[in-house]
Amino acid sequence: VDPAKETQDYETALNQFKAGKYKEAAGSFGAFVQKYPDSSLAPNAQYWLGNAWYAQRDCKRAIEAQSVVTTRYADSGKAPDAWLAISTCQQEMGNPTGAKRSLETVLAKYPGTPAADTARERLKKK
């Protein structure tokens, strides 16, 4: 694997996302995790893939993508944020019980993280 090409591919996808080209970004992040599954950037790419689906209002695919972060990359820094994203989609899809459970998972598995603080605030509002 060429590290420079790997970084370039990731940056290309991230720049597409930042430019609001969510469909292209989803394609690029999806291709990245296929091509570089063991990359140190793979958890981030998978997380941004979920965000690209969410930005296209496709919560089902967003949850699928974020679930990979929470299972395959459970030890990554993106995992607690992926749980928050899952919770947001569950809420929007009319599943408040699932959303609450996802927030509780953040608190249980990732205490002391910024995501846990966010989860705590969201649970207070419920």
Side-chain angles (χ1 to χ4, degrees):
V1 172
D2 176 359
K5 176 79 173 112
E6 181 182 324
T7 303
Q8 183 185 5
D9 288 353
Y10 178 81
E11 293 294 333
T12 297
L14 194 58
N15 288 332
Q16 288 170 332
F17 185 90
K18 288 177 182 173
K21 297 177 179 173
Y22 303 121
K23 189 172 184 187
E24 293 90 337
S28 296
F29 282 124
F32 183 92
V33 294
Q34 289 290 311
K35 191 172 178 183
Y36 310 106
D38 300 320
S39 167
S40 61
L41 293 170
N44 289 20
Q46 187 68 43
Y47 172 78
W48 287 109
L49 173 60
N51 284 350
W53 286 121
Y54 180 75
Q56 295 176 76
R57 314 308 313 149
D58 190 336
C59 267
K60 185 176 179 301
R61 287 173 98 168
I63 288 173
E64 287 169 9
Q66 299 295 12
S67 294
V68 173
V69 180
T70 64
T71 53
R72 182 165 187 187
Y73 306 113
D75 296 332
S76 83
K78 287 296 183 197
D81 296 325
W83 278 111
L84 289 179
I86 290 169
S87 172
T88 299
C89 274
Q90 288 169 322
Q91 192 69 43
E92 288 184 18
M93 292 172 79
N95 181 1
T97 307
K100 182 174 186 264
R101 208 169 24 242
S102 294
L103 293 174
E104 289 166 348
T105 299
V106 175
L107 291 174
K109 286 188 168 183
Y110 308 99
T113 62
D117 297 339
T118 302
R120 201 172 291 107
E121 289 304 310
R122 287 189 191 173
L123 284 166
K124 281 182 192 165
K125 293 176 186 166
K126 296 211 177 303

